[in-house]
Amino acid sequence: MKLRITLFVIAGAGIVFLWYLFLISPAHRAQARLQADLTATQIQLEDFQATLNQLPVYLQTRDGINRKIGEINSRLFSRQEMLDLFDQVERMARNEGLAVTELAPHLEELLVLAQTPPTPGQPQTMMLDIRMLGDYLSFGQFIESLEKQAYFKMIDKCLISDSPDLSGRLLFDLQFKALLETAPRIS
């Protein structure tokens, strides 16, 4: 009988061990995994709630920045306005009988202008180089027309020489400053 009781105790202990091994232990692991997932989900939910709470401030800040960008862009001289300025200068030269061979801004100056925001009350200026072929009278009339323009500030350099093709015309190298904020709208 002792052997029988011992066998029943061993069998009972084995059943309890197997029950623990195959039922209780996996259930505890699954519960621990679910608890970890629940904790991670709660953290994500708290982060989402914090983000939602910051959303109105973000939207307000973004709108303010977009307004400031619009204000700054409205004061900047656009690429099209620069091209229009170049076209107007070239048209004035042609109207006075000059042939424009080159019209260009200084590249370094353009890079500085692109990186420097305009200061209120201090208009931005840009140096332009223009090379033309013609005669003295046409050049003088062109300079007179140029000086009457709202964007004209000053002539920095003027060089007059014979044309390279020896056609009897003169080569005029002119460098002048143009005010960018007061440039006229060309239609």
Side-chain angles (χ1 to χ4, degrees):
M1 179 104 172
K2 261 188 165 183
L3 183 61
R4 219 179 202 191
I5 293 176
T6 306
L7 283 175
F8 279 130
V9 169
I10 291 175
I15 290 173
V16 168
F17 176 73
L18 290 175
W19 183 58
Y20 177 78
L21 187 64
F22 291 111
L23 292 176
I24 294 177
S25 180
H28 279 289
R29 278 182 281 188
Q31 186 178 7
R33 247 189 329 245
L34 287 173
Q35 187 63 37
D37 290 345
L38 180 64
T39 303
T41 304
Q42 283 177 335
I43 290 171
Q44 286 178 344
L45 185 61
E46 288 170 3
D47 285 346
F48 179 73
Q49 189 63 37
T51 302
L52 279 179
N53 290 341
Q54 294 173 357
L55 187 61
V57 173
Y58 166 76
L59 292 174
Q60 190 176 29
T61 303
R62 185 193 67 186
D63 291 343
I65 289 172
N66 286 341
R67 258 186 264 110
K68 285 182 181 178
I69 288 172
E71 290 171 11
I72 289 171
N73 283 340
S74 70
R75 291 185 307 221
L76 291 178
F77 208 71
S78 73
R79 179 176 182 259
Q80 186 59 47
E81 288 172 323
M82 281 188 188
L83 292 175
D84 292 344
L85 173 67
F86 299 160
D87 288 343
Q88 184 184 18
V89 170
E90 186 173 3
R91 196 176 323 113
M92 282 180 10
R94 276 193 315 238
N95 289 344
E96 299 301 337
L98 297 169
V100 177
T101 60
E102 185 180 323
L103 173 62
H106 289 200
L107 183 61
E108 302 85 20
E109 199 168 332
L110 281 178
L111 294 173
V112 170
L113 281 172
Q115 296 173 353
T116 308
T119 306
Q122 294 180 344
Q124 293 178 310
T125 61
M126 177 176 58
M127 191 68 69
L128 290 173
D129 288 327
I130 184 167
R131 178 173 278 186
M132 303 167 287
L133 290 170
D135 58 37
Y136 282 116
L137 184 59
S138 299
F139 182 68
Q141 291 168 339
F142 169 74
I143 294 297
E144 190 176 325
S145 297
L146 183 65
E147 288 176 342
K148 292 178 183 175
Q149 302 303 312
Y151 56 82
F152 178 78
K153 184 169 182 182
M154 65 180 259
I155 292 178
D156 193 47
K157 176 177 111 179
C158 179
L159 180 64
I160 302 172
S161 58
D162 285 330
S163 68
D165 61 2
L166 302 174
S167 64
R169 296 187 301 175
L170 296 172
L171 179 65
F172 301 97
D173 285 313
L174 180 70
Q175 188 177 76
F176 71 95
K177 274 193 179 183
L179 295 173
L180 295 183
E181 291 184 332
T182 59
R185 302 260 181 210
I186 312 292
S187 44

